[in-house]
Amino acid sequence: MEPCQWLLHIVVFLHNAWIQSCFAQTPTPVRSIPTPTPLTAQGPETLKFRLSGFPRKHNEGRIEVFYKDEWGTICDDDFSLANAHVLCRQLGFVSATGWAHSAKYGKGTGKIWLDNVQCSGSERSVSVCKSRGWGNSDCTHDEDAGVICKDERLPGYMDSNVIEVQVDENKVEEVRLRPVFTMATKRMPVTEGVVEVKNKDGWAQICDNGWTPKNSRVVCGMMGFPHEKKVNKSFYKLYAERQKNRFLVHSVACLGTEVHLAACPLEFNNGNATESCPGGMPAVVSCVPGPLYAQSSAMRKKLKMQSTIRLKGGAKHGEGRVEVLKGSEWGTVCDDRWNLLSASVVCRELGFGSAKEALTGARMGQGLGPIHMNEVQCTGHERSLWNCRYKNITTEDCKHTEDASVRCNVPYMGYEKTVRLSGGRSQYEGRVEVRVGQRWGSVCSEGWTTKEAMVACRQLGLGFSMHAITETWYWDSSNVTEMVMSGVKCTGDEMSLNQCQHHRTVNCQKATARFSAGVICSETASDLVLNSPLVQQTTYIEDRPLHMLYCAAEEDCLSKSAAKANWPYGHRRLLRFSSQIHNIGRADFRPKAGRHSWVWHACHGHYHSMDIFTHYDLMSANGTKVAEGHKASFCLEDTDCEEGVSKRYECANFGEQGITVGCWDLYRHDIDCQWIDITDVKPGNYILQVVINPNYEVAESDFTNNAMKCNCKYDGHRIWVHNCHIGDAFSEEAEKKFEKYPGQLNNQIS
């Protein structure tokens, strides 16, 4: 064999070995994936990469490299976002969102393998980037570099808590529906058209000989639609006769449960592609959109009907933690045996397409309450998850750290093309600009809140809003556009800013560039919930002397009638209880204001980081407030945490305030303002309501679980509290019964 041929065989062998290794599953918490390196004098070396260090999330950490049978680190000298992009892709993520220097995730040990790394960002491996060479470094482990990767996996990457389809994308890279009707080309989403597949030679058609509804079902699922429907082929036959077609595939035999066309048995044309569909035509598919994407209002109304399944905690439509309704109470699904077939049943039931990812390990945050299902096994044809085989939960089976989640295929709407960010320091922040008519322009920041910012970040595909910015003077203003939108008011569920209420003509009191609306987006967000059983267990009444309430009066924690009392004589009747607030989200809860703007309260001797952290209300059966209270966050800190989670925040010595993911902050019943002043309340049946973060000052992944309600009976001397629950824990029917609760006939609580 000639030397050139011998070398070619080796290169092909290595390339094929690498392709296979890219689809291999790797264990947690260490995530490594083999990558190719150039041939050296010693022969090919196998590289592995992992994220290490603490504290960190699964998609960030100190970057470590396995080279010459030894793990080592990378120095932060000359490190850049381009380097991080390359490394994150090698770790199986789509890209990087940032990087860290100076051993932010702790100092590594052993070798420092690379120094002065300089990548352009497009390299397949960090080994082909410029550097000082392997093992040549003048750094210490105080300079270990870290990366923050976007929390989205590359297609085909297998992770212990991301279950994703594996397909042969060397033959079929992409699939699309190409509309041919003039009107259909302008309407979103595209629900009908010619099926086209893309390979290395470009886009081509599929011969429809032997094409079945099962094939159509798979294509519709990929496009984000739950169902297929029969198509009128007459028009398309005339259209096909006038076109020059290139048939890449002449036979498809799907079962209907596949989540990608490339996962079906396919027969490819090897000869003349233009002549390889005798008597046939290009395959055409017509799909039925789910209620959220339907053109008719009648279909959209179906979305509001009572469902037995929902998604919670996701940044985008079509993703989130799976929750199911059993009886009248919502609960989660355990991730044992969770796979793409079961996830696809969930997605289609909710009006989306097939599943893009089946996620395990509470990747969309932990749920609360019961876990209703375990070891779910679907065939893929079921109309509801409840029709699948599953096991009931025992107390030993599962914890909420094993909650199952999904990412569904959703229809492409093109919303991201009508909004952009400008002037920011990264792709995740900037002034919000929209397409109005044929021109780009900024948005008036009057009334711009977290809800509007959430919609903007979702529309951009950038996750949640960390901050809604109302003054953007500190960002680059060299390309500032005129204001084209004002009066924006969103509910927070819209898919684009144009779906929110806004003025028909711009009306902005502060129309200068510095008052343009802006956002800072994030892939993750916190999620606060109240421990409702603890409220029920700790509620009691105290008659507190006025001379002990001067500080509470100063902080406005008493009802208005207290101002007319004969101070310091007499007392106030207080309804007291403990509040334990958990962060079950995927990011730490931090006050909106920095330490420089916290307010000092001399009477209590502490700083307030948020003016209003919780609202406490006592309401009549018809919803009228009869008494109210509030709690300023004088000390947001980690009182305690789940096993394996370390505290990060404490208030002592003017420390950083916040609540870490997996931790909780406890406001005991015996501290000031942890009450409702019920001095003026008459005996009767009431609803006790506690709302966390009521003004949406801090972004959360889910605001629907911020309220807690209890039924209570007050006889003028004692109080009984029961049925305490988070606002979205029950079905709509059960919630209506709760609100119409007639009251106890006696003081015995069953």
Side-chain angles (χ1 to χ4, degrees):
M1 186 180 290
E2 294 183 6
C4 290
Q5 290 178 314
W6 177 83
L7 182 61
L8 179 63
H9 276 280
I10 287 185
V11 171
V12 170
F13 171 77
L14 289 172
H15 176 73
N16 290 339
W18 175 78
I19 287 292
Q20 292 173 3
S21 68
C22 281
F23 292 88
Q25 185 163 346
T26 56
T28 56
V30 174
R31 292 168 171 78
S32 59
I33 183 167
T35 58
T37 58
L39 291 176
T40 64
Q42 294 79 24
E45 292 289 352
T46 300
L47 296 184
K48 296 180 184 178
F49 296 84
R50 69 183 181 188
L51 294 175
S52 297
F54 191 84
R56 69 182 183 90
K57 301 182 180 72
H58 71 280
N59 58 322
E60 63 177 315
R62 181 177 63 249
I63 185 71
E64 295 190 351
V65 190
F66 188 77
Y67 178 71
K68 287 187 178 294
D69 297 323
E70 186 176 352
W71 285 102
T73 61
I74 298 178
C75 182
D76 62 14
D77 291 350
D78 291 335
F79 208 86
S80 66
L81 189 60
N83 296 357
H85 279 310
V86 174
L87 289 162
C88 283
R89 285 197 297 272
Q90 293 192 266
L91 287 159
F93 297 95
V94 294
S95 62
T97 60
W99 62 279
H101 58 84
S102 306
K104 175 186 174 182
Y105 299 100
K107 294 188 287 187
T109 57
K111 295 272 191 180
I112 299 176
W113 277 125
L114 292 171
D115 190 7
N116 298 110
V117 179
Q118 296 178 50
C119 303
S120 68
S122 60
E123 293 87 351
R124 293 291 298 272
S125 170
V126 73
S127 63
V128 299
C129 300
K130 293 179 181 179
S131 72
R132 295 178 60 156
W134 291 100
N136 185 5
S137 171
D138 59 359
C139 299
T140 67
H141 283 296
D142 290 308
E143 301 167 84
D144 285 343
V147 295
I148 302 100
C149 302
K150 185 177 182 181
D151 190 9
E152 185 177 339
R153 289 295 187 182
L154 288 168
Y157 183 85
M158 288 293 289
D159 179 72
S160 67
N161 58 2
V162 178
I163 307 157
E164 198 174 72
V165 65
Q166 296 186 49
V167 297
D168 184 358
E169 293 188 345
N170 293 324
K171 295 182 178 179
V172 175
E173 296 175 0
E174 295 180 50
V175 180
R176 73 180 181 186
L177 281 184
R178 183 168 59 84
V180 297
F181 289 107
T182 305
M183 288 298 293
T185 58
K186 299 178 181 179
R187 185 183 298 165
M188 287 291 182
V190 174
T191 58
E192 183 176 303
V194 175
V195 181
E196 295 190 333
V197 292
K198 187 180 182 183
N199 72 340
K200 57 183 174 51
D201 298 321
W203 291 99
Q205 291 77 44
I206 299 176
C207 180
D208 75 340
N209 287 337
W211 186 265
T212 67
K214 292 180 179 179
N215 298 343
S216 298
R217 175 179 167 84
V218 172
V219 172
C220 288
M222 291 180 66
M223 299 297 111
F225 304 113
H227 308 293
E228 77 289 349
K229 66 178 181 180
K230 194 172 182 180
V231 65
N232 184 350
K233 295 175 65 174
S234 302
F235 169 80
Y236 289 98
K237 196 166 185 65
L238 290 171
Y239 168 80
E241 290 171 355
R242 300 173 185 172
Q243 304 295 314
K244 185 176 181 181
N245 298 301
R246 184 172 76 89
F247 295 101
L248 177 67
V249 181
H250 69 78
S251 176
V252 181
C254 298
L255 298 174
T257 58
E258 297 88 347
V259 296
H260 197 289
L261 194 66
C264 301
L266 305 175
E267 290 186 19
F268 290 83
N269 289 317
N270 297 319
N272 187 347
T274 58
E275 303 290 335
S276 55
C277 190
M281 57 177 271
V284 178
V285 164
S286 184
C287 305
V288 180
L292 192 64
Y293 302 93
Q295 301 289 337
S296 69
S297 57
M299 278 291 290
R300 284 195 293 270
K301 284 181 181 177
K302 286 187 178 180
L303 189 67
K304 298 180 180 179
M305 294 172 62
Q306 178 66 43
S307 175
T308 59
I309 194 164
R310 67 185 183 186
L311 300 181
K312 303 286 280 185
K316 306 167 188 172
H317 288 292
E319 69 174 32
R321 179 177 63 253
V322 180
E323 296 191 355
V324 291
L325 186 65
K326 186 176 183 181
S328 60
E329 190 171 11
W330 288 97
T332 60
V333 176
C334 188
D335 63 14
D336 293 348
R337 305 186 78 161
W338 186 246
N339 61 21
L340 283 164
L341 287 176
S342 301
S344 290
V345 171
V346 170
C347 291
R348 290 183 189 270
E349 185 178 357
L350 288 166
F352 303 110
S354 51
K356 187 161 53 176
E357 291 178 358
L359 301 101
T360 63
R363 281 287 300 279
M364 293 289 179
Q366 297 182 30
L368 289 175
I371 301 173
H372 286 323
M373 305 174 86
N374 186 24
E375 296 192 21
V376 179
Q377 297 179 67
C378 301
T379 65
H381 293 291
E382 296 87 351
R383 297 189 69 86
S384 170
L385 196 68
W386 287 110
N387 299 140
C388 303
R389 290 173 54 198
Y390 69 92
K391 287 185 178 179
N392 291 315
I393 295 290
T394 63
T395 52
E396 298 82 19
D397 280 341
C398 287
K399 298 179 181 178
H400 282 297
T401 53
E402 302 169 81
D403 285 342
S405 306
V406 296
R407 283 197 179 105
C408 306
N409 285 313
V410 297
Y412 176 72
M413 302 297 291
Y415 289 132
E416 76 283 356
K417 292 183 177 180
T418 60
V419 67
R420 68 186 184 188
L421 298 181
S422 69
R425 296 159 295 188
S426 75
Q427 62 172 332
Y428 284 85
E429 64 175 42
R431 269 182 302 277
V432 177
E433 295 184 348
V434 296
R435 182 174 295 145
V436 177
Q438 297 297 315
R439 60 196 176 120
W440 286 96
S442 57
V443 178
C444 178
S445 65
E446 292 171 10
W448 185 257
T449 69
T450 298
K451 286 188 174 182
E452 288 71 40
M454 280 286 197
V455 174
C457 290
R458 181 185 301 127
Q459 185 178 353
L460 287 158
L462 297 178
F464 303 99
S465 165
M466 279 180 64
H467 297 294
I469 310 297
T470 55
E471 290 192 32
T472 54
W473 53 268
Y474 48 84
W475 282 332
D476 178 21
S477 58
S478 56
N479 294 314
V480 172
T481 54
E482 64 176 311
M483 221 162 261
V484 296
M485 184 179 279
S486 64
V488 181
K489 188 173 181 61
C490 306
T491 64
D493 296 322
E494 296 88 350
M495 290 187 280
S496 76
L497 288 172
N498 281 328
Q499 294 178 352
C500 303
Q501 295 180 20
H502 58 272
H503 295 153
R504 290 193 174 184
T505 57
V506 177
N507 181 13
C508 187
Q509 299 296 318
K510 299 177 180 177
T512 57
R514 67 172 293 173
F515 294 108
S516 298
V519 293
I520 300 177
C521 304
S522 172
E523 291 289 330
T524 57
S526 60
D527 187 15
L528 298 188
V529 292
L530 190 68
N531 184 340
S532 53
L534 185 65
V535 174
Q536 186 165 317
Q537 294 162 14
T538 59
T539 304
Y540 65 98
I541 288 175
E542 178 193 12
D543 289 337
R544 193 163 182 83
L546 283 172
H547 69 83
M548 301 176 70
L549 293 171
Y550 280 104
C551 284
E554 182 187 300
E555 293 194 11
D556 199 26
C557 295
L558 302 174
S559 60
K560 293 178 181 178
S561 64
K564 302 175 183 177
N566 185 23
W567 291 77
Y569 309 106
H571 67 272
R572 304 298 293 179
R573 176 156 290 184
L574 308 176
L575 175 62
R576 308 196 72 142
F577 50 87
S578 295
S579 293
Q580 190 180 82
I581 299 165
H582 292 242
N583 183 359
I584 62 170
R586 292 186 287 154
D588 295 353
F589 184 92
R590 300 296 308 278
K592 180 180 179 180
R595 281 195 287 188
H596 62 280
S597 58
W598 294 353
V599 179
W600 174 255
H601 280 251
C603 195
H604 279 134
H606 55 236
Y607 285 92
H608 284 189
S609 55
M610 292 174 67
D611 287 337
I612 303 292
F613 179 52
T614 49
H615 273 167
Y616 306 146
D617 298 311
L618 196 66
M619 303 182 297
S620 63
N622 63 9
T624 305
K625 288 185 184 179
V626 295
E628 63 182 5
H630 75 274
K631 188 72 179 175
S633 65
F634 66 83
C635 176
L636 275 176
E637 67 176 1
D638 296 327
T639 306
D640 209 347
C641 303
E642 296 171 0
E643 184 179 351
V645 180
S646 299
K647 299 178 184 179
R648 292 187 184 183
Y649 306 105
E650 60 178 350
C651 301
N653 302 318
F654 197 41
E656 290 288 349
Q657 293 194 22
I659 307 176
T660 304
V661 175
C663 300
W664 54 87
D665 189 8
L666 176 63
Y667 289 90
R668 285 174 51 89
H669 56 82
D670 54 0
I671 62 175
D672 255 10
C673 296
Q674 188 60 36
W675 63 57
I676 299 176
D677 184 349
I678 61 169
T679 306
D680 307 318
V681 174
K682 298 176 181 178
N685 295 294
Y686 299 99
I687 294 174
L688 168 63
Q689 178 175 280
V690 179
V691 183
I692 309 166
N693 192 20
N695 299 332
Y696 309 107
E697 285 188 44
V698 179
E700 297 184 49
S701 60
D702 187 3
F703 289 111
T704 62
N705 58 12
N706 282 30
M708 184 224 67
K709 296 179 179 179
C710 307
N711 285 127
C712 56
K713 176 181 177 65
Y714 175 50
D715 67 359
H717 306 285
R718 294 168 295 178
I719 198 159
W720 292 264
V721 176
H722 56 111
N723 288 345
C724 292
H725 66 280
I726 300 300
D728 67 344
F730 291 165
S731 66
E732 290 182 18
E733 185 179 338
E735 195 63 31
K736 287 176 182 175
K737 289 181 180 178
F738 171 87
E739 291 172 354
K740 293 178 180 177
Y741 175 71
Q744 290 292 113
L745 299 177
N746 54 51
N747 291 338
Q748 301 299 315
I749 306 298
S750 59

